[in-house]
Amino acid sequence: MVELSDHTRLMNISMGLAINIPRWSSPLRELKYNVEVLEANLPETRPDVILTSKQFNHSLIIDCKSRTLKKSQMERYKKIMENPKILLTRGIVNVPNTKQFKADPTIISFFDLTDQELINSNDFPFLMVLDESSKIISIEKRYGAFQNDKLNRIFPIDTSGGTPPINLYPFGENDNEIFKMKIFRELINFGLKGQIFNIEDLMGKIHPCWAIIGDKRKFRSRATTLMLQLEKIGAKYGLNRYLKRESSSGWKVEIPPDSKSVKAFQSICEKIESSIEYGTLQDNLGEV
Amino acid sequence: MPKTRQKEANIFRQRRELFDYLEDYMAKSYEKLKEEGQLEYEQNLLKSYIVETNIDLKSFYNNFTGELDLKLKKFDDKDIYNLTYSKKDDLGATFYLDTMNPRFWVFHTIGDVKSTDYFIRKIVSPVLSRLDHPWLDKQLLLKIKEKNADITRGIGIQYKYGQIFPTEDDNGETFTMRVWGSVSDELLKQLSDIGALKHMLSLTSVGFKKGIELNEEKTYTVIEDLNYQCKFSVKGTSVYEHLDILDNVQTEYETILTNIEDNYNFVYEKRENSISIDGQPILIVLKREIKDLETFLNVIISSKYPFRFAGFYKEIGKDLFTVSGIDLHNGDNFDFEITPEWIRIYLQKGSCGNTVLRFLSNLQRYYDSNAFFEGI
């Protein structure tokens, strides 16, 4: 079984609150909140998700956290809360009534951070996601209050009957297994179309947020390492019949357009995948 | 050249000329059927195949003329063509190809069914053909019948689990049935009360009759047999009534298809410093629980007929898998989240909605006839 990273799970949970996801709770959607922005580029900070309700002229600036909070980042969020206009002037958020616009930096975590001073001193809403044997039981507001009272009233959100989405934000830096799966799928896609591709093309296809991901080095490095490994060990599995290096930074996969050939390629990828050590991908980080 | 091909190879220049000819042909063959219970030797029923297309006519011609020796001749009227294909092994047929709706082409023919079915299969089946059948699920077939029928003429059921899923006995889990008569609807209701059949009643065709009384002396009749891949076999005296029904079916299907593509496909739009997101997943609810998700997925993404999906899956929780798939018909990517009771499907920007419509139709035919879209 693959365990998704907490960050990726929290990203999906947060986004899913404002998107109509069948078999999941989307109470923010009912309050007309939309996923306005992912990984917004703000000075000194990069909130994961911004949910905005044009009806209430209000945004949640969500940061998905594990156990650690950074003082400088929290201070920056405080400034944004005091002067949310920066989101409007930078064109990150659009609301009809700019004068009434309010924004709440919001921390979300699987861990109870209520005893952390940075939560208490900054007065941000803190949402805790309670899970039990990989099921999300509820999302509770453990600290603070939103500036939109209707939002305060929806917590705690009972999610025990639902399954959170996992494909809204498919993988983060630490989700190697999903990362590999997406790459293999894309190799079939490039292969059927006979396209030459480089790492940038590959990443652009497999991650919907690639264009705005801040630090791309880890992803690029991991994808390059995987491609080099496929070249290196591919011959043993017959992959070299399909995968060719086209230039110093480009590859080409050629799969005859029939279902038997696709199946054969798919089987090779499955065999190779199990022989790629997860550690190998991480050990080579930063090489490219 | 085979005799049948010579007979069929009428070249038309106007729509009206073609359809008047087909109406006359239909009426004669219908009379023959009524009088003698069978058609004349080498006489065939009118058939119309709707094909969902994501390519233009030029690409279609270039892709298939090598193998099928296509001859395409324009009518004087716009967007309609005489199309013939031939093969060395005596197969061959003439179609009248109507491309007025660029998304849904209609191939009309009075050719031999073996040859015409072969041709349609041949153009739809290849990987990345970007041509597909419209796939009518059980609910849609019943709706179409309800909207267009004066009298139900029959129903067809084909459930073929054992053909693609591993089963314990050689015969597999299959159930096929074809019944004629206006009591077919009642029979279907009665059958659904039989526990052993509850997930096997996959409706694969409906037959119905529509009559139009012009005056006391003259009545037009059309008898349609429509299957789940949008193939019409037609009898009767009014080709124009057939065209109306065909247009209704096409419009019904196109409405669902564009709803999926416009409102469900996920669009991640880049803005200056960020990305915004729009779209929602599609949910298929199963009434037959999937006991072994891995075995199920190995069939679904085997690249083979009928699903024609390739891809990879991972278990990410108790009774929860994620699938990264590719639709071999069009090369579109999709993602699933799947549990024993439901499947959540994520289509990407620009994806063809037919991927999920084909998936549901085939799930009904091979796994659970009661599977349905929730919320669409």
Side-chain angles (χ1 to χ4, degrees):
Chain A
M1 193 187 298
V2 174
E3 278 197 25
L4 285 175
S5 65
D6 282 355
H7 183 265
T8 298
R9 290 174 71 204
L10 288 171
M11 286 287 286
N12 279 288
I13 288 168
S14 307
M15 293 162 75
L17 292 174
I19 294 175
N20 187 13
I21 306 284
R23 299 297 187 270
W24 176 242
S25 305
S26 308
L28 271 76
R29 173 84 179 168
E30 283 153 33
L31 289 177
K32 311 287 181 209
Y33 281 85
N34 285 308
V35 179
E36 180 92 352
V37 180
L38 296 179
E39 304 198 340
N41 197 1
L42 288 167
E44 295 166 44
T45 189
R46 208 172 173 86
D48 294 304
V49 184
I50 298 181
L51 307 178
T52 298
S53 168
K54 289 186 174 20
Q55 188 176 324
F56 296 109
N57 294 295
H58 179 250
S59 288
L60 276 81
I61 306 165
I62 298 175
D63 206 325
C64 305
K65 289 292 183 196
S66 54
R67 292 172 197 268
T68 330
L69 301 175
K70 281 185 189 158
K71 194 178 174 191
S72 60
Q73 199 183 24
M74 294 302 116
E75 282 170 356
R76 185 65 217 163
Y77 279 142
K78 191 163 191 180
K79 280 184 191 165
I80 293 172
M81 189 165 77
E82 287 162 0
N83 180 22
K85 250 185 153 179
I86 189 170
L87 296 169
L88 304 176
T89 51
R90 286 182 164 234
I92 289 170
V93 170
N94 290 297
V95 289
N97 192 336
T98 52
K99 282 186 184 161
Q100 287 185 4
F101 178 62
K102 287 175 183 161
D104 282 310
T106 306
I107 307 301
I108 187 167
S109 177
F110 286 109
F111 299 98
D112 190 353
L113 305 177
T114 44
D115 58 348
Q116 293 219 8
E117 201 199 324
L118 285 171
I119 291 276
N120 296 312
S121 61
N122 288 300
D123 231 16
F124 301 148
F126 165 61
L127 303 177
M128 185 173 165
V129 180
L130 280 77
D131 64 343
E132 205 177 277
S133 344
S134 80
K135 266 270 189 203
I136 308 293
I137 305 301
S138 68
I139 301 170
E140 297 180 358
K141 182 164 66 61
R142 288 285 180 98
Y143 190 84
F146 293 102
Q147 296 176 74
N148 175 3
D149 223 23
K150 287 204 170 157
L151 205 52
N152 288 316
R153 289 201 284 269
I154 66 168
F155 293 97
I157 303 168
D158 179 6
T159 56
S160 55
T163 304
I166 49 173
N167 280 294
L168 293 175
Y169 187 86
F171 59 90
E173 289 173 356
N174 299 314
D175 301 300
N176 277 333
E177 294 232 26
I178 302 295
F179 175 73
K180 283 191 290 181
M181 180 170 78
K182 301 281 180 199
I183 288 204
F184 285 133
R185 189 254 303 265
E186 218 46 57
L187 292 183
I188 295 181
N189 210 325
F190 280 125
L192 285 173
K193 291 163 188 165
Q195 288 172 355
I196 297 171
F197 61 93
N198 58 28
I199 293 299
E200 205 63 22
D201 301 327
L202 194 56
M203 288 307 305
K205 289 272 187 188
I206 67 170
H207 204 306
C209 306
W210 179 244
I212 49 95
I213 284 177
D215 187 357
K216 293 179 171 150
R217 283 174 304 170
K218 283 186 183 177
F219 287 115
R220 282 198 191 110
S221 168
R222 218 163 282 183
T224 307
T225 309
L226 178 59
M227 290 307 297
L228 294 177
Q229 277 217 7
L230 292 179
E231 271 186 46
K232 196 171 148 189
I233 62 174
K236 188 175 154 192
Y237 298 92
L239 187 70
N240 56 341
R241 281 188 281 129
Y242 304 92
L243 176 68
K244 302 263 183 326
R245 176 67 80 104
E246 279 292 315
S247 63
S248 59
S249 60
W251 289 268
K252 188 173 187 181
V253 181
E254 278 185 296
I255 304 173
D258 61 80
S259 51
K260 272 187 187 164
S261 302
V262 176
K263 179 69 190 157
F265 184 83
Q266 198 173 319
S267 303
I268 289 171
C269 291
E270 279 159 6
K271 282 179 198 150
I272 289 182
E273 193 203 357
S274 56
S275 73
I276 293 172
E277 300 285 330
Y278 304 136
T280 323
L281 291 176
Q282 285 173 330
D283 292 343
N284 290 300
L285 287 181
E287 272 188 2
V288 178
Chain B
M1 186 181 277
K3 207 175 164 189
T4 46
R5 229 179 299 155
Q6 277 179 333
K7 269 180 75 175
E8 290 163 24
N10 291 305
I11 300 294
F12 295 95
R13 294 184 180 283
Q14 276 95 35
R15 285 175 181 273
R16 189 81 201 191
E17 185 191 2
L18 165 69
F19 293 125
D20 283 351
Y21 168 79
L22 291 179
E23 181 152 292
D24 187 47
Y25 179 92
M26 269 174 72
K28 279 180 188 156
S29 52
Y30 185 51
E31 276 309 307
K32 188 85 183 165
L33 266 176
K34 280 205 298 190
E35 281 167 17
E36 296 173 25
Q38 60 181 16
L39 293 170
E40 264 179 35
Y41 177 63
E42 289 187 346
Q43 193 177 32
N44 305 295
L45 292 180
L46 168 66
K47 292 164 288 300
S48 301
Y49 301 81
I50 303 182
V51 172
E52 189 260 347
T53 59
N54 288 286
I55 55 172
D56 58 24
L57 193 64
K58 194 176 171 192
S59 307
F60 163 74
Y61 181 83
N62 291 339
N63 292 350
F64 294 104
T65 193
E67 192 181 354
L68 296 168
D69 189 19
L70 301 182
K71 302 252 182 311
L72 196 62
K73 193 168 169 49
K74 272 181 87 168
F75 279 43
D76 292 339
D77 285 349
K78 224 175 155 228
D79 300 326
I80 187 160
Y81 303 83
N82 298 279
L83 171 71
T84 61
Y85 90 94
S86 50
K87 277 206 67 155
K88 281 177 191 155
D89 54 8
D90 258 17
L91 286 175
T94 296
F95 292 91
Y96 307 106
L97 169 58
D98 188 341
T99 64
M100 188 181 279
N101 182 335
R103 188 75 193 268
F104 293 98
W105 293 351
V106 185
F107 293 77
H108 301 286
T109 182
I110 49 172
D112 170 56
V113 68
K114 191 178 156 201
S115 298
T116 58
D117 278 358
Y118 170 86
F119 175 81
I120 297 295
R121 207 167 47 243
K122 208 68 193 163
I123 61 167
V124 163
S125 302
V127 168
L128 297 190
S129 69
R130 303 194 72 81
L131 298 170
D132 200 358
H133 307 285
W135 294 81
L136 308 177
D137 63 46
K138 181 181 178 175
Q139 293 80 3
L140 192 50
L141 267 172
L142 286 172
K143 189 178 174 188
I144 287 166
K145 182 174 74 64
E146 194 148 307
K147 273 189 161 180
N148 294 283
D150 287 338
I151 301 167
T152 299
R153 295 268 301 190
I155 54 166
I157 289 171
Q158 286 187 344
Y159 179 77
K160 300 194 166 184
Y161 175 90
Q163 208 172 73
I164 59 166
F165 287 102
T167 51
E168 282 172 9
D169 72 285
D170 293 345
N171 203 19
E173 234 185 272
T174 60
F175 178 63
T176 63
M177 191 180 86
R178 185 82 173 98
V179 288
W180 287 268
S182 54
V183 292
S184 305
D185 286 332
E186 186 53 35
L187 181 69
L188 190 61
K189 275 185 207 150
Q190 300 281 336
L191 289 175
S192 57
D193 289 337
I194 300 172
L197 290 177
K198 67 182 175 195
H199 58 258
M200 294 186 170
L201 299 175
S202 16
L203 195 64
T204 46
S205 64
V206 289
F208 56 90
K209 180 177 178 178
K210 190 163 188 179
I212 309 100
E213 204 172 298
L214 272 189
N215 51 47
E216 278 178 10
E217 284 161 15
K218 190 147 178 116
T219 304
Y220 281 131
T221 304
V222 66
I223 299 169
E224 302 276 2
D225 194 9
L226 170 65
N227 82 0
Y228 68 108
Q229 292 177 324
C230 256
K231 173 187 167 186
F232 297 76
S233 302
V234 197
K235 287 179 278 204
T237 54
S238 173
V239 78
Y240 294 99
E241 193 56 32
H242 163 59
L243 294 178
D244 279 355
I245 291 170
L246 191 146
D247 192 52
N248 291 345
V249 173
Q250 189 177 289
T251 306
E252 192 83 50
Y253 193 81
E254 192 169 14
T255 305
I256 298 170
L257 191 74
T258 47
N259 177 31
I260 290 170
E261 291 172 354
D262 293 347
N263 301 314
Y264 290 82
N265 282 7
F266 271 89
V267 179
Y268 289 70
E269 213 150 49
K270 188 178 179 320
R271 304 210 295 230
E272 196 177 345
N273 287 313
S274 60
I275 265 184
S276 67
I277 180 172
D278 200 15
Q280 55 182 299
I282 294 155
L283 189 78
I284 293 179
V285 178
L286 302 167
K287 293 288 183 187
R288 179 186 189 182
E289 197 174 285
I290 305 170
K291 294 220 162 54
D292 181 346
L293 279 167
E294 274 202 87
T295 303
F296 181 84
L297 288 173
N298 283 332
V299 171
I300 300 292
I301 57 164
S302 65
S303 303
K304 289 184 195 159
Y305 183 86
F307 294 104
R308 309 293 304 277
F309 292 157
F312 304 90
Y313 61 80
K314 296 280 177 202
E315 185 180 10
I316 49 159
K318 188 177 179 294
D319 288 337
L320 178 63
F321 281 67
T322 183
V323 178
S324 288
I326 173 168
D327 182 351
L328 297 182
H329 262 283
N330 46 38
D332 291 342
N333 287 346
F334 63 83
D335 299 288
F336 286 175
E337 288 150 11
I338 178 165
T339 73
E341 294 94 24
W342 51 258
I343 304 167
R344 241 173 3 210
I345 306 165
Y346 296 70
L347 295 180
Q348 298 183 356
K349 184 183 179 182
S351 289
C352 175
N354 226 32
T355 298
V356 286
L357 295 167
R358 175 171 4 99
F359 186 42
L360 177 66
S361 176
N362 281 316
L363 274 178
Q364 290 184 348
R365 194 163 138 82
Y366 292 94
Y367 188 75
D368 174 14
S369 62
N370 294 316
F372 66 97
F373 287 130
E374 190 177 271
I376 290 187

